[in-house]
Amino acid sequence: MMINRVNSLFDVIMENIRKISGSYGLAPYSVMEFPAFEFKGGRFIAMFIWDDYSFSDLEDYLRKSQEYLTMDCLLQDDFITLKLQELSKPAILRQWQQHQLEIALGITLATLKAHRVTFHMIDKSLAPDILQWVEGRNDLILSDVLLIGVQEEHITGA
């Protein structure tokens, strides 16, 4: 897919995540773009886990998953019950959320590479505007930050 004025790189990334994702339901994470004021010409892509992801959110995700939608109708209720039981412990649910986010991160990195965009995984402390934005929010946990469009020599602490 060629990037043009209508489709920004971030739009392409989000479309790729949507196409490759295992479900059309509510994802357990968010991917957002922020300006990187500290790095001239750069942009941040920040990835967050939803801290308040509920079992009804999970059920929505499961019911709209490719796995659920392609299985025999007689097995669908058992699938939902078993998955909800499997992910019922908070630590296991958080691990599943992290895994889903890692899939989105992989898609993001592949998209950036395909478009030959310079990117760096950076320490969260190098993104103070994002840290300030997320501070006080009880619903999101900052997981990963990518800096795109900036050469490595412009990154302090990299």
Side-chain angles (χ1 to χ4, degrees), residues 28-47:
Y29 60 84
S30 285
V31 179
M32 298 180 195
E33 183 181 37
F34 293 85
F37 297 114
E38 304 85 3
F39 304 99
K40 212 173 205 177
R43 303 287 296 168
F44 288 124
I45 296 177
M47 303 192 141

Side-chain angles (χ1 to χ4, degrees), residues 79-118:
F79 168 78
I80 296 296
T81 301
L82 288 171
K83 282 301 215 180
L84 289 174
Q85 285 175 350
E86 178 186 321
L87 299 170
S88 65
K89 292 184 176 148
I92 294 172
L93 178 61
R94 183 54 52 88
Q95 186 178 31
W96 175 81
Q97 287 178 272
Q98 185 65 41
H99 178 72
Q100 299 307 308
L101 181 72
E102 289 165 358
I103 293 169
L105 176 60
I107 295 166
T108 300
L109 296 176
T111 303
L112 293 171
K113 284 182 116 176
H115 290 281
R116 294 187 172 101
V117 174
T118 304

Side-chain angles (χ1 to χ4, degrees), residues 1-157:
M1 176 183 281
M2 182 177 249
I3 299 175
N4 59 34
R5 292 186 309 252
V6 177
N7 292 332
S8 73
L9 179 59
F10 186 73
D11 292 335
V12 173
I13 289 168
M14 294 308 296
E15 180 65 16
N16 287 346
I17 290 171
R18 188 195 61 75
K19 280 194 281 188
I20 297 172
S21 177
S23 175
Y24 290 103
L26 184 62
Y29 60 84
S30 285
V31 179
M32 298 180 195
E33 183 181 37
F34 293 85
F37 297 114
E38 304 85 3
F39 304 99
K40 212 173 205 177
R43 303 287 296 168
F44 288 124
I45 296 177
M47 303 192 141
F48 302 89
I49 289 179
W50 283 100
D51 193 36
D52 63 351
Y53 196 73
S54 70
F55 282 101
S56 63
D57 295 333
L58 174 59
E59 187 172 348
D60 176 69
Y61 183 90
L62 294 171
R63 289 193 185 279
K64 295 175 182 170
S65 70
Q66 293 173 14
E67 188 174 4
Y68 178 86
L69 295 172
T70 58
M71 71 175 46
D72 187 284
C73 293
L74 299 173
L75 301 174
Q76 288 178 329
D77 286 338
D78 288 340
F79 168 78
I80 296 296
T81 301
L82 288 171
K83 282 301 215 180
L84 289 174
Q85 285 175 350
E86 178 186 321
L87 299 170
S88 65
K89 292 184 176 148
I92 294 172
L93 178 61
R94 183 54 52 88
Q95 186 178 31
W96 175 81
Q97 287 178 272
Q98 185 65 41
H99 178 72
Q100 299 307 308
L101 181 72
E102 289 165 358
I103 293 169
L105 176 60
I107 295 166
T108 300
L109 296 176
T111 303
L112 293 171
K113 284 182 116 176
H115 290 281
R116 294 187 172 101
V117 174
T118 304
F119 65 91
H120 307 278
M121 297 281 297
I122 65 166
D123 185 275
K124 298 170 202 174
S125 66
L126 292 175
D129 294 329
I130 297 172
L131 290 173
Q132 184 177 14
W133 179 82
V134 81
E135 188 176 298
R137 290 193 62 151
N138 297 333
D139 55 345
L140 294 174
I141 299 170
L142 180 58
S143 179
D144 298 292
V145 179
L146 294 170
L147 176 61
I148 63 172
V150 174
Q151 298 300 318
E152 189 165 345
E153 62 267 13
H154 296 111
I155 302 173
T156 57

